[in-house]
Amino acid sequence: MTTKIKVLLIEDDKSISTFVATALDSNGHKVTTAASGKEGISLAASFCPDIILLDLGLPDIDGIEVLRQIRSWNNVPVIIISARSKEQDKVTALDMGADDYITKPFGISELMARIRTSMRHSYSRTPDRIYKAKELEINFEKRLIRLEGKEVHLTQIEYQLLTMLAENSGRVLTYSYLMSAIWGPYIDSNNQILRVNMANIRRKIEQNPAQPQYVFTEIGIGYRMLENENI
Ligand code: CA
């Protein structure tokens, strides 16, 4: 990332906030930290951050509520910082408009990659025309998928699912988001139909469907597609 970005970090754990602030600062970014939800909401307005990193476990207001309040007037990208055991909280946050999440403990290169991806998806004006990663290529205009140069045939639903993930490559999309985007809001919340379609896609595009290299499962949350190299 070459441009300097303004990051608001809402996190009450001093060791994490110092670690993140120091790392982002040494990468040339401007960081402001808030140690409570109320302070975070107020800084989201006054500091005008380009991106917000939000811890869900805050001492005063729950992080989900902080997100809800910020989202009521602001579309700034928000990345959730959360503990490993809180799958349901992450899903709730993602479905409420968080852009992504990162699980503690995390490394700085992982955090920087998440920030870069969220910023790219939030600010790119034109949708990608081509997805390309490793040996997989999707041409969205021609509705053509090639693996190692050979055309891959998907059903209509499989195509929709794969392209939705490819257009959001690098980010996690929750099961419920994908379910309602493809089958509509009244679909049964059972994920079986989604899993069956994903298994079929993997059979067609992954060398070893049990160890996917293009579409990854984030257990209990959703799917994340390998980031587009063609950007
Ligand atoms: Ca915390």
Side-chain angles (χ1 to χ4, degrees):
M1 216 171 333
T2 48
T3 47
K4 185 169 179 158
I5 54 171
K6 286 165 76 179
V7 183
L8 170 59
L9 172 61
I10 309 174
E11 165 69 84
D12 63 319
D13 184 326
K14 195 99 183 79
S15 61
I16 294 179
S17 86
T18 305
F19 160 71
V20 171
T22 307
L24 290 175
D25 187 69
S26 70
N27 276 280
H29 303 308
K30 189 166 167 46
V31 187
T32 289
T33 57
S36 72
K38 278 184 189 146
E39 194 188 351
I41 291 166
S42 126
L43 280 168
S46 60
F47 175 65
C48 300
D50 298 312
I51 192 160
I52 296 175
L53 309 179
L54 172 64
D55 176 30
L56 288 183
L58 294 166
D60 55 346
I61 320 174
D62 187 68
I64 298 281
E65 176 57 20
V66 174
L67 174 66
R68 196 188 63 75
Q69 292 200 25
I70 291 172
R71 271 289 169 270
S72 68
W73 49 268
N74 197 323
N75 278 325
V76 61
V78 174
I79 298 177
I80 298 298
I81 300 176
S82 175
R84 192 166 296 279
S85 58
K86 306 274 186 182
E87 259 69 28
Q88 191 47 52
D89 290 352
K90 293 175 200 167
V91 171
T92 306
L94 291 164
D95 286 338
M96 279 182 57
D99 292 76
D100 209 337
Y101 72 89
I102 190 162
T103 304
K104 297 178 195 178
F106 52 84
I108 281 303
S109 58
E110 190 187 357
L111 177 65
M112 294 307 290
R114 290 279 190 281
I115 290 176
R116 192 184 62 235
T117 302
S118 293
M119 298 276 297
R120 181 171 80 79
H121 285 294
S122 295
Y123 294 105
S124 75
R125 301 260 183 283
T126 50
D128 301 332
R129 290 179 172 190
I130 302 275
Y131 170 91
K132 185 169 182 344
K134 296 184 179 170
E135 297 298 326
L136 181 66
E137 189 175 317
I138 304 172
N139 185 319
F140 298 111
E141 282 175 353
K142 295 183 178 166
R143 297 177 72 85
L144 199 65
I145 301 174
R146 284 206 179 93
L147 182 68
E148 294 173 352
K150 287 186 215 119
E151 195 173 343
V152 177
H153 296 280
L154 298 183
T155 66
Q156 181 66 22
I157 294 279
E158 290 163 10
Y159 180 82
Q160 277 182 41
L161 186 52
L162 187 65
T163 51
M164 200 169 285
L165 288 161
E167 282 164 354
N168 290 282
S169 71
R171 303 165 86 175
V172 67
L173 296 183
T174 64
Y175 298 127
S176 58
Y177 175 85
L178 290 165
M179 296 278 290
S180 67
I182 293 174
W183 288 280
Y186 303 111
I187 183 79
D188 188 339
S189 60
N190 179 339
N191 297 335
Q192 182 62 16
I193 188 169
L194 182 58
R195 277 187 271 127
V196 168
N197 276 278
M198 186 52 70
N200 290 337
I201 292 172
R202 282 182 170 148
R203 217 163 23 76
K204 295 175 184 180
I205 66 165
E206 302 282 4
Q207 214 160 34
N208 177 2
Q211 284 182 313
Q213 51 176 336
Y214 296 112
V215 182
F216 308 104
T217 300
E218 305 262 328
I219 295 165
I221 296 170
Y223 298 109
R224 185 191 299 273
M225 191 151 174
L226 183 65
E227 188 146 13
N228 192 353
E229 294 164 5
N230 188 52
I231 48 173

